[in-house]
Structures are given as structure tokens and as C-alpha cells.
Amino acid sequence: MKAGSHRRGPGRAVLAFALALAAAPASAQVRDVRLSLDNDAYDFWIPVDSRPDHDYTNGVDLSMEIAGGPLWAGKLAPRSARCSGGESADSACTSTTFAFGQKLFTPRVDAAEPVPGERPYAGWLYLSATGNVLTAAGRRSVGVEIGVTGPPSLGKAIHTGWHRLAGFWDPEGWDNQLRFEPGIVVRYDESRILADLRSGDVRVATLAPEWGADAGNVHVGAHAGATLRAGWNVPHPWSRAADRRAGPASVYAIARVREDAVARDLFLDGAGGSPSVARRPFLWQYEVGAGARLGGLTLEYRALTQARQYETQPTPHTYGTFELSYRLR
């Protein structure tokens, strides 16, 4: 995207989950809120008329992290306190992240009928909840994401609406998008601080390996990677307690590498006779970017390059991400 009556059972489940997300933070301390925007129009190093508008073309994710885990921490982390910011950096604490978002996937060739070798049009509208156990040395997360594909994902409406607003053509292929299907993904992720470099009290770099896996009817796979942040007064990747003596501002660069092994990807494999492509099982990606923090407000921009996901994809795909977060004190 340039510039940026169904079965009742799944619908009721999504509604119930949405109400649970809305109600949970009411009695909890909000730690931070975050907005992430992905779009291949953010490839600023490419001339405007040459930027891609296909594959993973647009994503929006709005999330909120609250202290504690009232629905899960007693079972999974019974000896951990809530992440209030007053805990010791070495002691484990718990938080919960709720998110709402949408992703859009489109083929390289826009046509009224599916083109052989081209991935299907697809939208994914989702809600998620993730439990986190945090220390200054590491983070463990277990989460569940539920959502829908097909017309209820609002992919056609959002994609067409933005194209019209920006003065582009109406996409022709959404009538052949992936059909309506409720989806679920369960995820486990873990990260560790391998290096935390300082000059006096000022952090100048962190290196954090990461690994994890997911399973469900939308995606099945595993991944491993590492993220390097380097600069002046670099914020800790996840621990507020480890940043207690941090100054009021930060400027830093970001570099990240990741390798995925993928056993299923609904947006490539298709479902129920829908268009599909031959998925590649291994996928590398890297990203570079920069961030700046002033008080509790942080803005990052990252440019990501992703290897070919399917056999008929001619080249790797690139897109940019803006991420704005506000950490409440």
C-alpha cells in the first residue's frame, strides 16, 4: 500500500476476547503503549515511483503493556512480583501485553483473476495477549493471537481506501482473497542479554540473542536471531528497572539478524482451494535503523530486508517500520 453474514461461533469468540482485553487493564497499572506501522512505502532509499507495493505491504499494531499477569502469573510465575518499576533489576517480574492489529498481503501482479505463481490477496485482523517474565538479564514470553482472514479482516476496505486517498488505482484482486477463516497462533519467545556495555553509568551498547517458536493454523515455525543497539545512553531492550539511573535522552543505532524455519504459512499455503504458492522453508532477514528517546517517549525507524518467501518470488522484499512508544512513569 503506497503512502501506508458469517458463522457466529468464531465471531462470538473474537468479541469475548476483545471484551477481556478491554476489561483487564482497568484495574492494572499501564507500563507503556506502543504503535508500530509497517509499509513498503517507507523504503526511503528507493525512488518513490520504484518502491514496492506487494507481498507484506502494510501492517498496523497497537499494544499496551500492563504490570502483572492476573490471569496467568500465579500459575506460570508464582514467585514473581508485578513489573511496577520499583523492583530490583535482578529479580523477576511479570507483565502482560495486549495488542490489536492488521496485516495486508498482496501479489506483485494485480489482476481480477489469480495469476499463477502469485501469492493470494490476504488480510489478517487480530487480537493478542502475551505474558512476560522479565529480569535485566532476560525475557520469556508466552502469548496467544487470534484473528480472522477473508472479508472480516477488512483488507479490501483498508487497501482500496488508502489507494483512493493517495490517488492510486483500485486494486482488482481482492474478490479472490483468502476466504474467511478464524485463526490462532500460540507463541513462545525468549531473549537474553549477552553484552551490556557501559561508559561509567551510561550504557553504550547491548547485544541480545533471541529464539522462539509458534504453532497454530496460521503459522508454524521456529526462529533465532540477535539484536545489537549501540549509541549514547542506550535504553535497555525490555527492563525498566535496569534503566532507573538512565538520563532523560538517548540516541542509538539498531542492527538485527534473524533466521526462520517455516513449516506452515497460511498467507502463502492458502486454504480450501484458494490460490497458493510454493513456500520456501528457510527465511533469513536483517534490519537496520535508529532510535531516539526523550523522557518516556521513544521513536524508532527500521528498514527490513526479507529473503524470498516462495519459489516464484523473484527478489527479496523490503519494507520500513516506524515504532512510537510511550513509557509511563
Side-chain angles (χ1 to χ4, degrees), residues 115-180:
V115 176
E118 292 291 329
R119 70 183 301 155
Y121 275 88
W124 173 242
L125 188 67
Y126 64 88
L127 299 163
S128 70
T130 302
N132 311 292
V133 181
L134 311 174
T135 68
R139 174 180 60 187
R140 289 184 288 117
S141 301
V142 179
V144 60
E145 180 174 300
I146 64 172
V148 292
T149 58
S153 72
L154 304 179
K156 178 179 180 179
I158 297 298
H159 194 206
T160 301
W162 276 106
H163 266 225
R164 290 177 178 176
L165 186 64
F168 295 111
W169 73 97
D170 282 359
E172 299 180 13
W174 277 102
D175 289 342
N176 296 301
Q177 67 178 299
L178 289 184
R179 69 182 186 182
F180 166 72

Short mmCIF file of all heavy atoms in Angstrom, two decimals, residues 115-180:
data_model
loop_
_atom_site.label_atom_id
_atom_site.label_comp_id
_atom_site.label_asym_id
_atom_site.label_seq_id
_atom_site.Cartn_x
_atom_site.Cartn_y
_atom_site.Cartn_z
N VAL A 115 -3.25 -14.96 -10.74
CA VAL A 115 -2.17 -15.18 -11.70
C VAL A 115 -1.30 -16.31 -11.17
O VAL A 115 -0.83 -16.25 -10.02
CB VAL A 115 -1.34 -13.91 -11.91
CG1 VAL A 115 -0.17 -14.18 -12.84
CG2 VAL A 115 -2.22 -12.79 -12.45
N PRO A 116 -1.06 -17.37 -11.95
CA PRO A 116 -0.21 -18.47 -11.48
C PRO A 116 1.15 -17.97 -11.02
O PRO A 116 1.77 -17.12 -11.66
CB PRO A 116 -0.09 -19.37 -12.72
CG PRO A 116 -1.32 -19.09 -13.52
CD PRO A 116 -1.61 -17.63 -13.31
N GLY A 117 1.59 -18.50 -9.88
CA GLY A 117 2.88 -18.10 -9.32
C GLY A 117 2.82 -16.87 -8.44
O GLY A 117 3.84 -16.50 -7.84
N GLU A 118 1.65 -16.22 -8.34
CA GLU A 118 1.50 -15.04 -7.49
C GLU A 118 0.79 -15.42 -6.19
O GLU A 118 -0.16 -16.20 -6.20
CB GLU A 118 0.69 -13.96 -8.22
CG GLU A 118 1.41 -13.34 -9.39
CD GLU A 118 2.59 -12.48 -8.98
OE1 GLU A 118 2.55 -11.88 -7.88
OE2 GLU A 118 3.58 -12.44 -9.72
N ARG A 119 1.26 -14.87 -5.08
CA ARG A 119 0.64 -15.14 -3.79
C ARG A 119 -0.78 -14.56 -3.75
O ARG A 119 -1.10 -13.61 -4.49
CB ARG A 119 1.47 -14.54 -2.66
CG ARG A 119 1.45 -13.02 -2.62
CD ARG A 119 2.35 -12.48 -1.53
NE ARG A 119 1.95 -12.97 -0.23
CZ ARG A 119 2.77 -13.08 0.83
NH1 ARG A 119 4.04 -12.69 0.73
NH2 ARG A 119 2.34 -13.54 1.98
N PRO A 120 -1.66 -15.09 -2.91
CA PRO A 120 -3.02 -14.57 -2.84
C PRO A 120 -3.11 -13.25 -2.09
O PRO A 120 -2.28 -12.93 -1.23
CB PRO A 120 -3.77 -15.67 -2.08
CG PRO A 120 -2.72 -16.33 -1.26
CD PRO A 120 -1.46 -16.28 -2.06
N TYR A 121 -4.14 -12.47 -2.42
CA TYR A 121 -4.52 -11.35 -1.56
C TYR A 121 -4.97 -11.91 -0.22
O TYR A 121 -5.68 -12.92 -0.16
CB TYR A 121 -5.67 -10.57 -2.19
CG TYR A 121 -5.26 -9.53 -3.18
CD1 TYR A 121 -5.10 -9.85 -4.53
CD2 TYR A 121 -5.04 -8.21 -2.80
CE1 TYR A 121 -4.72 -8.89 -5.46
CE2 TYR A 121 -4.67 -7.25 -3.72
CZ TYR A 121 -4.52 -7.59 -5.04
OH TYR A 121 -4.14 -6.64 -5.94
N ALA A 122 -4.57 -11.25 0.87
CA ALA A 122 -4.96 -11.73 2.19
C ALA A 122 -4.89 -10.60 3.20
O ALA A 122 -3.99 -9.75 3.15
CB ALA A 122 -4.07 -12.88 2.64
N GLY A 123 -5.83 -10.61 4.12
CA GLY A 123 -5.82 -9.71 5.27
C GLY A 123 -5.87 -10.53 6.54
O GLY A 123 -6.43 -11.64 6.56
N TRP A 124 -5.31 -10.00 7.60
CA TRP A 124 -5.30 -10.67 8.90
C TRP A 124 -5.58 -9.61 9.96
O TRP A 124 -4.81 -8.68 10.16
CB TRP A 124 -3.95 -11.33 9.14
CG TRP A 124 -3.71 -11.92 10.50
CD1 TRP A 124 -2.75 -11.55 11.40
CD2 TRP A 124 -4.40 -13.02 11.11
NE1 TRP A 124 -2.80 -12.34 12.52
CE2 TRP A 124 -3.81 -13.25 12.37
CE3 TRP A 124 -5.48 -13.82 10.71
CZ2 TRP A 124 -4.25 -14.25 13.24
CZ3 TRP A 124 -5.91 -14.82 11.56
CH2 TRP A 124 -5.31 -15.03 12.80
N LEU A 125 -6.75 -9.71 10.60
CA LEU A 125 -7.17 -8.79 11.66
C LEU A 125 -7.11 -9.58 12.96
O LEU A 125 -7.74 -10.63 13.07
CB LEU A 125 -8.58 -8.28 11.40
CG LEU A 125 -9.10 -7.17 12.30
CD1 LEU A 125 -8.33 -5.87 12.07
CD2 LEU A 125 -10.60 -6.95 12.07
N TYR A 126 -6.38 -9.08 13.96
CA TYR A 126 -6.08 -9.93 15.10
C TYR A 126 -6.10 -9.18 16.43
O TYR A 126 -5.99 -7.95 16.50
CB TYR A 126 -4.70 -10.58 14.92
CG TYR A 126 -3.55 -9.60 14.89
CD1 TYR A 126 -2.92 -9.18 16.05
CD2 TYR A 126 -3.10 -9.07 13.67
CE1 TYR A 126 -1.86 -8.28 16.03
CE2 TYR A 126 -2.04 -8.17 13.64
CZ TYR A 126 -1.43 -7.78 14.82
OH TYR A 126 -0.39 -6.88 14.78
N LEU A 127 -6.21 -9.96 17.48
CA LEU A 127 -6.03 -9.55 18.86
C LEU A 127 -5.04 -10.51 19.49
O LEU A 127 -5.02 -11.70 19.15
CB LEU A 127 -7.34 -9.61 19.64
CG LEU A 127 -8.49 -8.72 19.17
CD1 LEU A 127 -9.81 -9.22 19.76
CD2 LEU A 127 -8.24 -7.29 19.60
N SER A 128 -4.24 -10.03 20.43
CA SER A 128 -3.29 -10.93 21.08
C SER A 128 -3.10 -10.55 22.55
O SER A 128 -3.33 -9.40 22.95
CB SER A 128 -1.93 -10.91 20.36
OG SER A 128 -1.27 -9.67 20.56
N ALA A 129 -2.68 -11.54 23.32
CA ALA A 129 -2.33 -11.34 24.72
C ALA A 129 -1.07 -12.14 24.99
O ALA A 129 -0.98 -13.32 24.63
CB ALA A 129 -3.44 -11.79 25.65
N THR A 130 -0.07 -11.49 25.63
CA THR A 130 1.23 -12.12 25.86
C THR A 130 1.66 -11.90 27.30
O THR A 130 1.66 -10.76 27.79
CB THR A 130 2.30 -11.53 24.92
OG1 THR A 130 1.89 -11.71 23.57
CG2 THR A 130 3.65 -12.21 25.14
N GLY A 131 2.02 -12.98 27.97
CA GLY A 131 2.57 -12.89 29.32
C GLY A 131 4.08 -12.84 29.27
O GLY A 131 4.71 -13.62 28.54
N ASN A 132 4.69 -11.94 30.05
CA ASN A 132 6.13 -11.74 30.04
C ASN A 132 6.70 -11.91 31.45
O ASN A 132 6.13 -11.41 32.42
CB ASN A 132 6.48 -10.32 29.57
CG ASN A 132 5.77 -9.95 28.28
OD1 ASN A 132 6.04 -10.50 27.23
ND2 ASN A 132 4.84 -9.00 28.37
N VAL A 133 7.82 -12.63 31.55
CA VAL A 133 8.60 -12.70 32.79
C VAL A 133 9.94 -12.04 32.49
O VAL A 133 10.68 -12.48 31.61
CB VAL A 133 8.80 -14.15 33.25
CG1 VAL A 133 9.60 -14.18 34.55
CG2 VAL A 133 7.46 -14.85 33.44
N LEU A 134 10.25 -10.96 33.23
CA LEU A 134 11.37 -10.09 32.89
C LEU A 134 12.37 -9.99 34.03
O LEU A 134 12.00 -9.89 35.21
CB LEU A 134 10.86 -8.67 32.58
CG LEU A 134 9.69 -8.53 31.59
CD1 LEU A 134 9.25 -7.08 31.53
CD2 LEU A 134 10.09 -9.03 30.22
N THR A 135 13.64 -10.00 33.69
CA THR A 135 14.73 -9.54 34.55
C THR A 135 15.63 -8.68 33.68
O THR A 135 15.46 -8.61 32.46
CB THR A 135 15.54 -10.71 35.14
OG1 THR A 135 16.26 -11.35 34.07
CG2 THR A 135 14.65 -11.72 35.84
N ALA A 136 16.63 -8.06 34.28
CA ALA A 136 17.57 -7.29 33.47
C ALA A 136 18.36 -8.20 32.54
O ALA A 136 18.82 -7.77 31.48
CB ALA A 136 18.52 -6.51 34.38
N ALA A 137 18.50 -9.48 32.91
CA ALA A 137 19.30 -10.40 32.10
C ALA A 137 18.51 -11.11 31.02
O ALA A 137 19.10 -11.59 30.05
CB ALA A 137 19.94 -11.45 33.01
N GLY A 138 17.19 -11.21 31.15
CA GLY A 138 16.45 -11.98 30.17
C GLY A 138 14.95 -11.70 30.17
O GLY A 138 14.41 -11.07 31.09
N ARG A 139 14.32 -12.21 29.12
CA ARG A 139 12.86 -12.06 28.97
C ARG A 139 12.32 -13.37 28.41
O ARG A 139 12.85 -13.91 27.45
CB ARG A 139 12.54 -10.90 28.03
CG ARG A 139 11.05 -10.77 27.70
CD ARG A 139 10.77 -9.61 26.77
NE ARG A 139 11.48 -9.75 25.51
CZ ARG A 139 11.53 -8.80 24.57
NH1 ARG A 139 10.96 -7.63 24.79
NH2 ARG A 139 12.18 -9.02 23.44
N ARG A 140 11.24 -13.86 29.00
CA ARG A 140 10.50 -15.01 28.48
C ARG A 140 9.06 -14.59 28.25
O ARG A 140 8.46 -13.93 29.10
CB ARG A 140 10.55 -16.19 29.44
CG ARG A 140 11.90 -16.87 29.52
CD ARG A 140 11.86 -18.09 30.43
NE ARG A 140 11.75 -17.71 31.83
CZ ARG A 140 10.72 -18.03 32.61
NH1 ARG A 140 9.69 -18.71 32.11
NH2 ARG A 140 10.70 -17.66 33.87
N SER A 141 8.50 -14.97 27.11
CA SER A 141 7.14 -14.56 26.76
C SER A 141 6.38 -15.73 26.19
O SER A 141 6.90 -16.51 25.39
CB SER A 141 7.17 -13.42 25.72
OG SER A 141 7.87 -12.30 26.20
N VAL A 142 5.12 -15.86 26.61
CA VAL A 142 4.19 -16.84 26.06
C VAL A 142 2.92 -16.08 25.69
O VAL A 142 2.37 -15.34 26.52
CB VAL A 142 3.87 -17.96 27.05
CG1 VAL A 142 2.87 -18.94 26.44
CG2 VAL A 142 5.13 -18.70 27.47
N GLY A 143 2.47 -16.23 24.45
CA GLY A 143 1.31 -15.46 24.01
C GLY A 143 0.40 -16.23 23.09
O GLY A 143 0.78 -17.27 22.53
N VAL A 144 -0.79 -15.72 22.93
CA VAL A 144 -1.77 -16.28 22.00
C VAL A 144 -2.34 -15.14 21.16
O VAL A 144 -2.61 -14.05 21.67
CB VAL A 144 -2.89 -17.04 22.75
CG1 VAL A 144 -3.64 -16.12 23.70
CG2 VAL A 144 -3.86 -17.68 21.76
N GLU A 145 -2.46 -15.39 19.88
CA GLU A 145 -3.02 -14.43 18.94
C GLU A 145 -4.18 -15.08 18.22
O GLU A 145 -4.06 -16.20 17.72
CB GLU A 145 -1.95 -14.00 17.93
CG GLU A 145 -2.40 -12.99 16.89
CD GLU A 145 -1.23 -12.53 16.03
OE1 GLU A 145 -0.27 -11.97 16.61
OE2 GLU A 145 -1.25 -12.75 14.81
N ILE A 146 -5.33 -14.40 18.18
CA ILE A 146 -6.47 -14.91 17.45
C ILE A 146 -6.91 -13.85 16.44
O ILE A 146 -6.72 -12.65 16.67
CB ILE A 146 -7.65 -15.28 18.36
CG1 ILE A 146 -8.20 -14.05 19.08
CG2 ILE A 146 -7.25 -16.36 19.35
CD1 ILE A 146 -9.49 -14.32 19.86
N GLY A 147 -7.48 -14.29 15.33
CA GLY A 147 -7.88 -13.32 14.31
C GLY A 147 -8.69 -13.98 13.22
O GLY A 147 -9.10 -15.15 13.32
N VAL A 148 -8.91 -13.23 12.15
CA VAL A 148 -9.71 -13.70 11.02
C VAL A 148 -9.05 -13.28 9.72
O VAL A 148 -8.39 -12.25 9.64
CB VAL A 148 -11.16 -13.16 11.06
CG1 VAL A 148 -11.93 -13.75 12.23
CG2 VAL A 148 -11.17 -11.63 11.13
N THR A 149 -9.25 -14.11 8.70
CA THR A 149 -8.90 -13.76 7.34
C THR A 149 -10.20 -13.50 6.58
O THR A 149 -11.29 -13.54 7.14
CB THR A 149 -8.10 -14.88 6.66
OG1 THR A 149 -8.89 -16.09 6.68
CG2 THR A 149 -6.79 -15.13 7.38
N GLY A 150 -10.10 -13.25 5.28
CA GLY A 150 -11.29 -13.04 4.46
C GLY A 150 -11.88 -11.65 4.64
O GLY A 150 -11.26 -10.76 5.24
N PRO A 151 -13.09 -11.41 4.13
CA PRO A 151 -13.70 -10.07 4.21
C PRO A 151 -13.73 -9.48 5.62
O PRO A 151 -13.55 -8.27 5.77
CB PRO A 151 -15.10 -10.31 3.65
CG PRO A 151 -14.92 -11.44 2.68
CD PRO A 151 -13.90 -12.34 3.31
N PRO A 152 -13.97 -10.28 6.70
CA PRO A 152 -13.98 -9.67 8.03
C PRO A 152 -12.64 -9.07 8.45
O PRO A 152 -12.59 -8.29 9.40
CB PRO A 152 -14.36 -10.83 8.95
CG PRO A 152 -15.08 -11.80 8.09
CD PRO A 152 -14.39 -11.70 6.76
N SER A 153 -11.56 -9.40 7.77
CA SER A 153 -10.26 -8.81 8.10
C SER A 153 -10.15 -7.37 7.64
O SER A 153 -9.19 -6.68 8.00
CB SER A 153 -9.13 -9.64 7.47
OG SER A 153 -9.09 -9.44 6.07
N LEU A 154 -11.08 -6.92 6.82
CA LEU A 154 -11.14 -5.54 6.32
C LEU A 154 -9.97 -5.19 5.40
O LEU A 154 -9.68 -4.02 5.18
CB LEU A 154 -11.21 -4.53 7.48
CG LEU A 154 -12.36 -4.73 8.47
CD1 LEU A 154 -12.30 -3.68 9.57
CD2 LEU A 154 -13.70 -4.67 7.76
N GLY A 155 -9.32 -6.22 4.85
CA GLY A 155 -8.19 -5.97 3.98
C GLY A 155 -8.57 -5.18 2.74
O GLY A 155 -7.89 -4.21 2.37
N LYS A 156 -9.65 -5.60 2.08
CA LYS A 156 -10.08 -4.92 0.85
C LYS A 156 -10.44 -3.47 1.15
O LYS A 156 -10.05 -2.55 0.42
CB LYS A 156 -11.26 -5.65 0.23
CG LYS A 156 -11.78 -4.97 -1.03
CD LYS A 156 -12.95 -5.74 -1.64
CE LYS A 156 -13.47 -5.06 -2.91
NZ LYS A 156 -14.60 -5.81 -3.53
N ALA A 157 -11.20 -3.24 2.22
CA ALA A 157 -11.64 -1.88 2.54
C ALA A 157 -10.47 -0.96 2.84
O ALA A 157 -10.40 0.17 2.34
CB ALA A 157 -12.61 -1.92 3.72
N ILE A 158 -9.50 -1.43 3.64
CA ILE A 158 -8.37 -0.59 4.01
C ILE A 158 -7.46 -0.35 2.81
O ILE A 158 -7.05 0.80 2.55
CB ILE A 158 -7.59 -1.23 5.16
CG1 ILE A 158 -8.48 -1.33 6.42
CG2 ILE A 158 -6.32 -0.46 5.46
CD1 ILE A 158 -8.94 -0.01 6.95
N HIS A 159 -7.14 -1.41 2.07
CA HIS A 159 -6.23 -1.26 0.93
C HIS A 159 -6.83 -0.35 -0.13
O HIS A 159 -6.17 0.59 -0.62
CB HIS A 159 -5.95 -2.65 0.34
CG HIS A 159 -4.79 -2.68 -0.60
ND1 HIS A 159 -4.67 -3.61 -1.59
CD2 HIS A 159 -3.68 -1.89 -0.70
CE1 HIS A 159 -3.55 -3.40 -2.27
NE2 HIS A 159 -2.93 -2.37 -1.74
N THR A 160 -8.08 -0.58 -0.48
CA THR A 160 -8.74 0.24 -1.50
C THR A 160 -8.90 1.68 -1.02
O THR A 160 -8.67 2.64 -1.78
CB THR A 160 -10.11 -0.35 -1.86
OG1 THR A 160 -9.93 -1.69 -2.34
CG2 THR A 160 -10.81 0.48 -2.92
N GLY A 161 -9.27 1.84 0.25
CA GLY A 161 -9.46 3.19 0.79
C GLY A 161 -8.20 4.03 0.74
O GLY A 161 -8.22 5.19 0.33
N TRP A 162 -7.06 3.43 1.13
CA TRP A 162 -5.81 4.18 1.10
C TRP A 162 -5.35 4.46 -0.32
O TRP A 162 -4.79 5.53 -0.60
CB TRP A 162 -4.73 3.43 1.87
CG TRP A 162 -4.79 3.69 3.34
CD1 TRP A 162 -5.22 2.85 4.32
CD2 TRP A 162 -4.43 4.91 4.00
NE1 TRP A 162 -5.14 3.46 5.56
CE2 TRP A 162 -4.65 4.72 5.39
CE3 TRP A 162 -3.92 6.13 3.57
CZ2 TRP A 162 -4.39 5.72 6.33
CZ3 TRP A 162 -3.67 7.13 4.51
CH2 TRP A 162 -3.90 6.92 5.87
N HIS A 163 -5.58 3.51 -1.22
CA HIS A 163 -5.22 3.76 -2.62
C HIS A 163 -6.01 4.94 -3.19
O HIS A 163 -5.46 5.79 -3.89
CB HIS A 163 -5.45 2.50 -3.45
CG HIS A 163 -4.24 1.65 -3.60
ND1 HIS A 163 -3.84 1.09 -4.80
CD2 HIS A 163 -3.30 1.26 -2.69
CE1 HIS A 163 -2.73 0.41 -4.62
NE2 HIS A 163 -2.39 0.49 -3.35
N ARG A 164 -7.28 4.98 -2.89
CA ARG A 164 -8.10 6.09 -3.39
C ARG A 164 -7.65 7.41 -2.77
O ARG A 164 -7.58 8.45 -3.45
CB ARG A 164 -9.58 5.83 -3.08
CG ARG A 164 -10.17 4.69 -3.92
CD ARG A 164 -11.62 4.42 -3.54
NE ARG A 164 -12.19 3.37 -4.38
CZ ARG A 164 -13.42 2.88 -4.23
NH1 ARG A 164 -14.20 3.34 -3.27
NH2 ARG A 164 -13.85 1.92 -5.04
N LEU A 165 -7.35 7.39 -1.46
CA LEU A 165 -6.93 8.61 -0.78
C LEU A 165 -5.62 9.13 -1.36
O LEU A 165 -5.42 10.35 -1.48
CB LEU A 165 -6.77 8.33 0.72
CG LEU A 165 -6.46 9.53 1.61
CD1 LEU A 165 -7.61 10.52 1.60
CD2 LEU A 165 -6.17 9.06 3.04
N ALA A 166 -4.73 8.20 -1.75
CA ALA A 166 -3.43 8.60 -2.29
C ALA A 166 -3.45 8.83 -3.80
O ALA A 166 -2.43 9.21 -4.38
CB ALA A 166 -2.39 7.53 -1.95
N GLY A 167 -4.60 8.61 -4.44
CA GLY A 167 -4.70 8.85 -5.87
C GLY A 167 -4.21 7.71 -6.73
O GLY A 167 -3.90 7.90 -7.91
N PHE A 168 -4.14 6.47 -6.16
CA PHE A 168 -3.72 5.30 -6.92
C PHE A 168 -4.94 4.54 -7.44
O PHE A 168 -6.09 4.87 -7.13
CB PHE A 168 -2.84 4.38 -6.07
CG PHE A 168 -1.54 5.01 -5.66
CD1 PHE A 168 -1.30 5.34 -4.32
CD2 PHE A 168 -0.55 5.29 -6.59
CE1 PHE A 168 -0.10 5.92 -3.94
CE2 PHE A 168 0.65 5.87 -6.21
CZ PHE A 168 0.87 6.19 -4.88
N TRP A 169 -4.67 3.49 -8.21
CA TRP A 169 -5.73 2.67 -8.79
C TRP A 169 -6.44 1.85 -7.72
O TRP A 169 -5.91 1.60 -6.64
CB TRP A 169 -5.11 1.74 -9.83
CG TRP A 169 -4.32 0.61 -9.24
CD1 TRP A 169 -4.74 -0.67 -9.02
CD2 TRP A 169 -2.97 0.66 -8.75
NE1 TRP A 169 -3.75 -1.42 -8.44
CE2 TRP A 169 -2.64 -0.63 -8.26
CE3 TRP A 169 -2.01 1.67 -8.68
CZ2 TRP A 169 -1.40 -0.92 -7.71
CZ3 TRP A 169 -0.78 1.36 -8.13
CH2 TRP A 169 -0.47 0.09 -7.66
N ASP A 170 -7.67 1.40 -8.03
CA ASP A 170 -8.37 0.46 -7.16
C ASP A 170 -7.79 -0.94 -7.37
O ASP A 170 -7.78 -1.44 -8.50
CB ASP A 170 -9.87 0.43 -7.47
CG ASP A 170 -10.60 1.62 -6.88
OD1 ASP A 170 -9.95 2.46 -6.22
OD2 ASP A 170 -11.82 1.71 -7.09
N PRO A 171 -7.31 -1.61 -6.34
CA PRO A 171 -6.82 -2.98 -6.50
C PRO A 171 -7.92 -3.88 -7.05
O PRO A 171 -9.09 -3.78 -6.64
CB PRO A 171 -6.44 -3.38 -5.07
CG PRO A 171 -6.21 -2.10 -4.35
CD PRO A 171 -7.18 -1.13 -4.95
N GLU A 172 -7.57 -4.77 -7.98
CA GLU A 172 -8.56 -5.57 -8.68
C GLU A 172 -8.77 -6.97 -8.10
O GLU A 172 -9.78 -7.61 -8.40
CB GLU A 172 -8.14 -5.73 -10.16
CG GLU A 172 -8.04 -4.42 -10.92
CD GLU A 172 -7.62 -4.64 -12.36
OE1 GLU A 172 -7.66 -5.80 -12.82
OE2 GLU A 172 -7.27 -3.66 -13.04
N GLY A 173 -7.84 -7.46 -7.28
CA GLY A 173 -7.86 -8.88 -6.96
C GLY A 173 -8.45 -9.29 -5.62
O GLY A 173 -8.43 -10.49 -5.28
N TRP A 174 -9.02 -8.35 -4.87
CA TRP A 174 -9.48 -8.71 -3.53
C TRP A 174 -10.68 -9.66 -3.53
O TRP A 174 -10.94 -10.32 -2.52
CB TRP A 174 -9.81 -7.45 -2.73
CG TRP A 174 -8.59 -6.83 -2.11
CD1 TRP A 174 -7.91 -5.74 -2.55
CD2 TRP A 174 -7.88 -7.30 -0.95
NE1 TRP A 174 -6.83 -5.48 -1.73
CE2 TRP A 174 -6.79 -6.42 -0.74
CE3 TRP A 174 -8.08 -8.36 -0.07
CZ2 TRP A 174 -5.90 -6.59 0.31
CZ3 TRP A 174 -7.18 -8.53 0.99
CH2 TRP A 174 -6.11 -7.65 1.16
N ASP A 175 -11.40 -9.76 -4.63
CA ASP A 175 -12.51 -10.71 -4.68
C ASP A 175 -12.01 -12.15 -4.64
O ASP A 175 -12.80 -13.08 -4.42
CB ASP A 175 -13.35 -10.49 -5.95
CG ASP A 175 -14.17 -9.21 -5.88
OD1 ASP A 175 -14.35 -8.70 -4.75
OD2 ASP A 175 -14.60 -8.73 -6.93
N ASN A 176 -10.71 -12.35 -4.85
CA ASN A 176 -10.12 -13.69 -4.79
C ASN A 176 -9.19 -13.85 -3.58
O ASN A 176 -8.30 -14.70 -3.59
CB ASN A 176 -9.34 -13.97 -6.07
CG ASN A 176 -10.22 -14.01 -7.29
OD1 ASN A 176 -11.15 -14.81 -7.38
ND2 ASN A 176 -9.98 -13.11 -8.24
N GLN A 177 -9.40 -13.04 -2.55
CA GLN A 177 -8.58 -13.13 -1.36
C GLN A 177 -8.82 -14.45 -0.63
O GLN A 177 -9.79 -15.17 -0.90
CB GLN A 177 -8.89 -11.97 -0.42
CG GLN A 177 -10.28 -12.03 0.20
CD GLN A 177 -10.53 -10.89 1.17
OE1 GLN A 177 -9.84 -10.75 2.18
NE2 GLN A 177 -11.51 -10.05 0.86
N LEU A 178 -7.92 -14.77 0.32
CA LEU A 178 -8.15 -15.94 1.16
C LEU A 178 -9.54 -15.84 1.79
O LEU A 178 -9.95 -14.78 2.25
CB LEU A 178 -7.11 -16.01 2.27
CG LEU A 178 -5.67 -16.36 1.88
CD1 LEU A 178 -4.82 -16.49 3.13
CD2 LEU A 178 -5.61 -17.65 1.08
N ARG A 179 -10.23 -16.96 1.84
CA ARG A 179 -11.60 -16.97 2.35
C ARG A 179 -11.62 -16.69 3.86
O ARG A 179 -10.59 -16.75 4.53
CB ARG A 179 -12.24 -18.33 2.09
CG ARG A 179 -11.63 -19.45 2.91
CD ARG A 179 -12.24 -20.79 2.60
NE ARG A 179 -11.73 -21.81 3.52
CZ ARG A 179 -12.07 -23.08 3.46
NH1 ARG A 179 -12.89 -23.50 2.51
NH2 ARG A 179 -11.57 -23.94 4.34
N PHE A 180 -12.81 -16.44 4.39
CA PHE A 180 -12.96 -16.24 5.84
C PHE A 180 -12.55 -17.50 6.59
O PHE A 180 -12.99 -18.61 6.27
CB PHE A 180 -14.42 -15.91 6.18
CG PHE A 180 -14.71 -16.03 7.66
CD1 PHE A 180 -14.20 -15.09 8.54
CD2 PHE A 180 -15.47 -17.09 8.14
CE1 PHE A 180 -14.46 -15.21 9.90
CE2 PHE A 180 -15.73 -17.20 9.49
CZ PHE A 180 -15.22 -16.26 10.38
#
